[in-house]
Every structure is written in structure tokens, then in C-alpha cells.
Amino acid sequence: MDILIISGLSGAGKSKAASYLEDMGFYIVDNMPAAMILKFAEFCAGGNGRYDRVALVYDVRTASSFTELFDVLDKLRAMEGACRMLFLEAEPEVIIKRYKETRRRHPLADQADSLEEAVRRERELMQPVRERADHVIDTSHTSTAQLRGELLRLFGDPEEKGGMTVSVTSFGFKYGLPLEADLVFDVRFMPNPFYIEELRPQTGLDQAVSDYVFSFQQTQGYLKRLEDLLSFSLPLYAEEGKTTLVIAVGCTGGHHRSVAVTHALAEFISGQGYQVTENHRDMNRGG
């Protein structure tokens, strides 16, 4: 079991980090008191793998005693599995600016005469927690994409490609473009099986049609270039924070060429380690 405790300064990005970690497969629990963390960890350990990756958000609002938190950390690290703590921080002026922009109330506002004092007091209070952290991220000048990329580097599974799902769909231009598509490729330049009488009633998923489409040098060359493009760009989409990428491949009616190329692309992308869904929007449309 992998337990991650997310702590840090209010306004430094704990909620955003928790959201990204949830996309990466962590089960998130917000604002859990230290006294409950150990019991919750024991519950997760008996969950038959359902809660293998858990992230618990802990901040100054639930901090009655850091000694209690540190005792829990020591016990968790003695258990089977991994236990780490992530601490998020930002420069005081950056946190103050974020609070003023969002008009949120600081958790220590009732204990301070100003926002500036509340930010200063929290930094002092949380210093012992920061010193016990395994990872510290300063979000002062970090974009959301950069934060996600750093979390992927620290806690992501390299084989999951950042959790991005790629949907590859074929379509017919005569029925319109898929509105959800991020990338659209037009394969109408390829020789059309529609004009081969025995291939006309079949689809691009049938071996005879696929063999025909890929028997031409221009088809093989085009697919190779598509594979090179996707090998280069898919990791960049994942790093930027894209959770779902929709690739659409179109021919005239969406029966033959686009279906064959879509199927080949889906197999290639799956082989690169991404989660892939394959769809054929118009394959059975129009007779």
C-alpha cells in the first residue's frame, strides 16, 4: 500500500495537487485529523487492493498536535508499504496575492490581525511539518501544468503515461467532423476499397479490406509518419496535463480506409503504454 500525506501552507496548492493525484489513481481524503490516519490506513490495508494508493490531505486546520502526526508517520513507515509526505509551500507575497484574488478566508484569520500576520503565523506553525517532509514543492512560480508534471515525476507510474487516455475514432466526412476531436487526420487520399466490388460490403476491420488499404506504399508511409508524430507529441500532451486525447481519422463514408487506419493507430498507441479506446462512429451507418 502506498500512503501519501499532503500537507503545506494554505494557498500553496494542496487542493490542486490532490486533484492531480486523484487523476493518477490515488484515493483522496481531505482534512483528516492525525488521530484518524492510522485507523484509516489499517482499514485501507484490508481493502483487498481497492485502496492501494491513498493520499491524505493534512493542514493547519486539523493540527491539534504535530507530535501526534509525527507518531503516526513513524508507525505508518513501520508498516508494510510506502509512506511519504509531500509539503507544498509558496512565498508569503504569492499566498497573500492568491487569497486577495480569490477572496477566501485564511484558516488562521481569527487568530491574527491581518492576512499578512495569518500567513506568517501559519508558516511558523508548519515549519516542523516541513522539516519532516520527504518532498517539498514551492509553487510560487509554478504553473498548473508544471505542478502536475512534478507530481507525475515523484508519484506517477511511468508505465501509465501520466494516466492519459487516448480515444481513437474513425468517421466519415460526409457525416461531419467529431466535435470532441483534438486531432483530425484525413485519409481520403488513400485508394478506396469501396470501388472493389467484393470489398464494398466489408469494413476496415475485415482482413481483406485492411490488406488492401495497407498494400499501397503511400498508406504505409503515412502511417509511419503518424506514428512518429504521436511518439513525439503524446508524452507532451500527458506532461501538459491532458487526461483524455481524442484522435479522429476520417475518410468519405467512415467504412473502410479510416477504420483500418484507426485500428492500426489504436494498436500502436496501446503498444506505447497508453490506455486506448477504439471507436468507429460511422462504420455501420448508411448501409
Side-chain angles (χ1 to χ4, degrees), residues 262-282:
T262 291
H263 183 66
L265 275 183
E267 289 188 334
F268 169 77
I269 295 169
S270 178
Q272 298 296 300
Y274 295 91
Q275 302 175 61
V276 179
T277 60
E278 177 182 343
N279 304 289
H280 302 286
R281 192 191 72 178
D282 302 321

Side-chain angles (χ1 to χ4, degrees), residues 94-254:
V94 173
I95 291 179
I96 291 170
K97 180 180 178 182
R98 290 173 182 173
Y99 267 98
K100 288 183 176 179
E101 288 176 347
T102 61
R103 298 184 180 181
R104 292 172 51 216
R105 183 177 176 82
H106 194 279
L108 298 183
D110 292 336
Q111 305 174 33
D113 295 329
S114 65
L115 175 59
E116 289 82 356
E117 183 182 350
V119 171
R120 179 187 59 78
R121 289 194 62 182
E122 184 187 30
R123 181 176 291 272
E124 292 175 354
L125 281 171
M126 297 296 287
Q127 183 61 27
V129 180
R130 185 188 188 280
E131 292 173 356
R132 287 292 299 269
D134 299 283
H135 308 283
V136 177
I137 298 178
D138 188 330
T139 65
S140 300
H141 308 290
T142 302
S143 68
T144 54
Q146 290 171 332
L147 174 59
R148 186 178 189 276
E150 182 65 7
L151 293 173
L152 283 170
R153 185 185 69 81
L154 292 173
F155 309 111
D157 185 344
E159 296 182 359
E160 291 182 355
K161 304 295 184 178
M164 185 174 73
T165 298
V166 182
S167 176
V168 191
T169 184
S170 66
F171 72 97
F173 275 96
K174 65 190 293 185
Y175 302 114
L177 291 170
L179 297 179
E180 69 278 13
D182 297 297
L183 301 173
V184 177
F185 299 106
D186 184 353
V187 297
R188 287 177 292 184
F189 66 88
M190 297 177 182
N192 195 348
F194 178 83
Y195 297 107
I196 308 297
E197 186 174 352
E198 61 269 23
L199 299 181
R200 186 177 304 161
Q202 300 183 51
T203 74
L205 295 180
D206 291 304
Q207 192 63 48
V209 173
S210 179
D211 289 344
Y212 176 83
V213 171
F214 287 102
S215 67
F216 296 93
Q217 184 176 355
Q218 59 262 47
T219 304
Q220 297 175 23
Y222 186 73
L223 183 64
K224 177 62 171 62
R225 287 164 175 79
L226 278 185
E227 291 174 350
D228 290 342
L229 172 63
L230 295 175
S231 295
F232 172 79
S233 58
L234 289 183
L236 300 179
Y237 281 114
E239 182 179 334
E240 183 63 22
K242 195 84 169 168
T243 56
T244 303
L245 183 74
V246 180
I247 300 173
V249 181
C251 62
T252 303

